[in-house]
């Protein structure tokens, strides 16, 4: 697991692209000395560490760095404006960030250049609601997160209630730029990562309304939300941009971490099977992973992705801790013994301060009542197994492992 966390640090993956005042790709190079001003916009859970790295290589005139409130990047404040904003729900600083980003880009000139560093979490860290209040925006986010909708569905709705998501941020940009992106989205859909601030958008207002109906949210969300989406469907509000404006390059994703973990497992003498891009309802995901653990010819299962939890209880936990507890209930009467762990690479699992948990079928407890109340964290607090990494400033979904012990 530690190997996966190490691999999730974006700085080491920027090395191949960033050199002294140059940005390089396999077949092309950008000499930044040719521009009048070099600006930076970094938004997301990894924005601080990414900026710390690139600012050692590139001389920026100015920049905006939007990070979670718990993060304190080591940066020159005369050059970089650091905004600590809300996550997983936006706050007033998130609104400040969204407005400042728009004002900043509106002032750029033709021979300027903007380097964007985008990572997961940006959807909440920077907001600029379109015709709805910040309070209503927060209520929408809360309902979407609790609904069981996947990240692509959530971002579709977010994009169509925003003045900066879905490519709107750069729609009228005056200068050139590129974007390096850390993916926290299964399948690496560039239009969904941080709600696609620097990308084009494939979804529509009609899609957003369908998602609300799918999860029966049309009667629980503020009236202003439905009003905006219906106005968009009727053509009274412009659709999100459908064409690419700048180049977006994904430098790191969940699979990067899983492959490093698999290499490490082989060095430790395990025969490993890799399961990537895990999505869907947590109960179904648990069944699939447990079945693989029992039937696989390998004694190590490495898995990663982002399943969804439909929260019906009021306990403490997150999808990683709940996944481990569900695996325990599925496997505790099976032979031989199993040990399993799952963590969020950002170091935060659900509404707890823990990254995830680890447990084994060698113990004999009853976790069913905890699962009914979505209270997995209380189970592990009582019986042990909580994993605390602290905030990693990385964010590439969840990573996990199951070890089948020799009988």
């Amino acid at each position: 697991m530690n190997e996966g966390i190490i691999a999730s640090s974006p700085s080491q993956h920027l090395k191949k692209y960033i050199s002294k005042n140059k940005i390089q790709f396999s077949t092309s190079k950008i000499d930044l000395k040719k521009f009048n001003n070099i600006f930076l916009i970094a938004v997301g859970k990894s924005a601080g560490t990414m900026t710390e790295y690139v600012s050692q290589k590139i001389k920026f005139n100015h920049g905006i760095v939007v990070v979670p409130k718990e993060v304190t990047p080591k940066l020159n404040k005369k050059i970089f404006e650091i905004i600590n904003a809300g996550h997983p729900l936006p706050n007033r600083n998130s609104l400040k960030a969204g407005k400042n980003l728009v004002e900043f880009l509106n002032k750029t000139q033709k021979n300027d250049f903007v380097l964007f560093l985008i990572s997961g979490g940006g959807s909440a860290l920077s907001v600029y609601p379109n015709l709805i209040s910040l309070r209503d925006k927060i209520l929408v986010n809360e309902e979407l997160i609790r609904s069981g909708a996947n990240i692509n569905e959530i971002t579709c709705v977010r994009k169509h209630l925003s003045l900066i998501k879905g490519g709107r941020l750069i729609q009228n940009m005056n200068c050139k730029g590129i974007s390096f992106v850390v993916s926290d989205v299964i399948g690496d859909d560039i239009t969904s990562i941080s709600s696609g601030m620097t990308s084009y958008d494939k979804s529509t207002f009609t899609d957003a309304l369908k998602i609300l109906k799918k999860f029966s949210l049309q009667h629980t969300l503020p009236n202003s939300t439905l009003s905006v989406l219906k106005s968009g469907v009727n053509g009274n509000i412009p659709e999100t941009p459908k064409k690419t404006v700048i180049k977006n390059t994904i430098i790191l994703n969940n699979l990067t971490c899983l492959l490093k973990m698999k290499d490490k497992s082989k060095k430790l003498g395990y025969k490993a099977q890799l399961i990537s891009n895990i999505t869907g309802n947590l109960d179904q995901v648990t069944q699939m992973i447990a079945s693989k653990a029992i039937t696989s010819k390998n004694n190590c299962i490495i898995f990663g992705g982002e399943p969804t939890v439909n929260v019906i209880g009021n306990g403490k936990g997150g999808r990683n801790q709940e996944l481990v507890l569900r695996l325990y209930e599925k496997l505790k009467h099976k032979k031989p013994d199993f040990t399993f762990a799952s963590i969020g690479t950002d170091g935060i699992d659900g509404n707890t301060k823990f990254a995830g948990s680890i447990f084994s079928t060698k113990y004999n407890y009853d976790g069913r009542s905890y699962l009914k109340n979505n209270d997995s964290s209380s189970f592990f607090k009582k019986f042990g197994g909580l994993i605390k990494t602290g905030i990693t400033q990385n964010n590439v979904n969840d990573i996990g492992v199951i070890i089948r012990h020799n009988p």
Side-chain angles (χ1 to χ4, degrees):
M1 298 285 282
N2 188 52
E3 201 73 17
I5 288 291
I6 293 171
S8 71
S9 175
S11 299
Q12 59 183 300
H13 304 285
L14 281 167
K15 290 180 181 177
K16 64 184 288 188
Y17 299 103
I18 305 293
S19 59
K20 189 67 174 177
N21 290 317
K22 289 185 175 64
I23 298 172
Q24 52 200 24
F25 299 93
S26 56
T27 58
S28 62
K29 184 180 293 186
I30 301 172
D31 185 355
L32 298 177
K33 294 177 184 177
K34 295 180 179 180
F35 297 94
N36 293 341
N37 296 288
I38 311 299
F39 298 123
L40 176 132
I41 287 179
V43 184
K45 293 182 182 178
S46 301
T49 54
M50 293 173 80
T51 303
E52 285 173 356
Y53 179 78
V54 299
S55 62
Q56 295 173 11
K57 304 288 184 179
I58 296 172
K59 186 177 180 181
F60 293 100
N61 296 88
H62 188 47
I64 298 177
V65 183
V66 187
V67 293
K69 54 182 177 290
E70 305 88 356
V71 175
T72 308
K74 297 176 182 177
L75 297 169
N76 186 339
K77 293 183 180 180
K78 292 180 180 179
I79 297 175
F80 300 104
E81 177 189 2
I82 301 169
I83 302 176
N84 293 97
H87 188 278
L89 296 174
N91 59 15
R92 291 188 179 279
N93 266 10
S94 304
L95 180 58
K96 174 186 175 182
K99 290 181 176 180
N100 284 14
L101 291 175
V102 171
E103 291 172 8
F104 184 89
L105 287 174
N106 284 343
K107 293 177 182 177
T108 56
Q109 302 295 317
K110 186 176 181 180
N111 200 42
D112 294 337
F113 186 92
V114 182
L115 173 62
F116 294 88
L117 303 174
I118 305 297
S119 53
S123 296
L125 292 169
S126 56
V127 300
Y128 201 163
N130 186 12
L131 301 175
I132 66 173
S133 67
L134 176 61
R135 177 178 171 77
D136 284 354
K137 171 73 174 176
I138 293 171
L139 287 172
V140 170
N141 273 20
E142 285 179 320
E143 291 296 327
L144 286 170
I145 290 170
R146 290 177 63 88
S147 70
N150 65 39
I151 188 63
N152 301 82
E153 292 168 326
I154 291 172
T155 56
C156 173
V157 177
R158 284 172 172 167
K159 285 183 283 192
H160 288 89
L161 296 172
S162 174
L163 291 171
I164 59 173
K165 310 290 170 58
R168 292 190 195 275
L169 177 65
I170 62 168
Q171 188 173 15
N172 300 310
M173 197 167 77
N174 302 316
C175 63
K176 293 182 178 179
I178 63 163
S179 181
F180 288 121
V181 182
V182 174
S183 173
D184 69 332
V185 172
I186 301 305
D188 299 334
D189 180 4
I190 202 80
T191 68
S192 289
I193 302 166
S194 275
S195 297
M197 279 190 285
T198 58
S199 171
Y200 68 99
D201 181 37
K202 297 178 289 187
S203 66
T204 65
F205 281 103
T206 301
D207 294 330
L209 274 178
K210 287 180 179 177
I211 290 164
L212 297 192
K213 291 177 181 178
K214 175 181 176 181
F215 293 97
S216 302
L217 295 174
Q218 67 269 39
H219 303 302
T220 61
L221 295 182
N223 291 332
S224 61
T225 301
L226 292 174
S227 177
V228 170
L229 296 181
K230 287 177 181 178
S231 293
V233 170
N234 294 330
N236 298 324
I237 298 174
E239 255 296 354
T240 47
K242 307 303 178 190
K243 292 183 179 180
T244 301
V245 176
I246 64 172
K247 179 182 178 67
N248 285 263
T249 300
I250 294 176
I251 63 167
L252 169 65
N253 61 11
N254 185 254
L255 184 60
T256 309
C257 303
L258 300 185
L259 291 172
K260 287 289 186 179
M261 290 169 66
K262 188 175 183 181
D263 288 343
K264 184 67 174 182
S265 69
K266 288 181 179 179
K267 292 176 182 177
L268 294 172
Y270 291 102
K271 293 182 178 179
Q273 177 181 351
L274 193 152
I275 307 174
S276 61
N277 292 334
I278 290 175
T279 58
N281 180 272
L282 191 60
D283 190 41
Q284 296 172 333
V285 168
T286 305
Q287 183 63 49
M288 181 271 291
I289 296 175
S291 178
K292 292 281 188 183
I294 294 168
T295 61
S296 178
K297 295 179 181 179
N298 301 310
N299 57 0
C300 176
I301 306 289
I302 293 167
F303 59 89
E306 191 166 296
T308 54
V309 181
N310 188 10
V311 180
I312 55 175
N314 57 6
K316 299 207 68 163
R319 60 179 178 263
N320 289 280
Q321 293 165 70
E322 186 157 324
L323 173 58
V324 171
L325 186 52
R326 285 177 179 269
L327 283 172
Y328 172 68
E329 287 296 321
K330 293 278 187 188
L331 297 172
K332 67 181 181 182
H333 298 305
K334 305 293 183 182
K335 294 296 179 184
D337 287 323
F338 297 87
T339 298
F340 28 79
S342 184
I343 62 173
T345 52
D346 61 355
I348 303 169
D349 188 35
N351 59 0
T352 76
K353 60 183 178 181
F354 301 98
S357 57
I358 181 170
F359 215 63
S360 172
T361 57
K362 293 179 181 179
Y363 307 111
N364 187 20
Y365 302 114
D366 189 349
R368 289 174 294 179
S369 63
Y370 293 90
L371 286 172
K372 286 180 181 178
N373 194 34
N374 296 112
D375 198 25
S376 53
S377 197
S378 295
F379 175 89
F380 294 115
K381 185 177 181 180
K382 183 175 181 178
F383 299 114
L386 289 167
I387 299 174
K388 187 176 183 180
T389 62
I391 295 170
T392 63
Q393 296 190 62
N394 307 329
N395 188 31
V396 283
N397 307 114
D398 306 333
I399 55 176
V401 62
I402 299 180
I403 302 294
R404 186 176 69 232
H405 301 288
N406 293 327

